[in-house]
Amino acid sequence: MRLKGYSIRARRFRTLVGENVIVARRGRSVVVVEVKVPSDPHAATNSITQHQGPRIENVAFWLIANCHDLDACYLRFDLLLIQPWAWPRHLPDAWRASD
């Protein structure tokens, strides 16, 4: 993420509502990144379950509400796929927050 110009704001960011792996910022974008190590790379895009998505979103909304320097930023949810002997695969805007 740093090589793409993001500043890492937090790793293993924990709150009362859950935990995220990476919170990064680039310009006016705050990116909440879920890191996965999928066994099947073709099924990796479906690796955020119905339970995980809202949990990750709750952490992101808590972060935005409690860090005043982030309240005017655009929030995005990304996925970072890690596999042995391969470069990490970054999927920007992997899912949208549920209503």
Side-chain angles (χ1 to χ4, degrees):
M1 295 297 293
R2 283 189 183 135
L3 292 175
K4 290 186 170 192
Y6 292 90
S7 64
I8 306 300
R9 297 289 302 256
R11 287 184 212 128
R12 294 186 180 170
F13 183 73
R14 295 177 189 202
T15 68
L16 297 174
V17 295
E19 175 182 352
N20 279 74
V21 177
I22 298 173
V23 176
R25 182 174 181 177
R26 182 171 70 179
R28 295 187 60 90
S29 295
V30 174
V31 182
V32 178
V33 184
E34 181 73 6
V35 178
K36 294 285 187 180
V37 183
S39 57
D40 179 11
H42 300 292
T45 55
N46 298 325
S47 63
I48 301 297
T49 65
Q50 289 179 343
H51 175 71
Q52 290 173 323
R55 175 188 56 83
I56 296 165
E57 294 162 15
N58 287 338
V59 172
F61 297 141
W62 183 94
L63 175 71
I64 296 294
N66 289 288
C67 295
H68 300 292
D69 63 325
L70 303 179
D71 59 359
C73 291
Y74 169 72
L75 180 62
R76 191 177 79 205
F77 298 97
D78 291 4
L79 189 59
L80 189 64
L81 305 174
I82 308 293
Q83 293 181 304
W85 304 104
W87 287 100
R89 192 166 142 214
H90 179 216
L91 301 173
D93 208 12
W95 80 93
R96 301 286 173 144
S98 56
D99 294 329

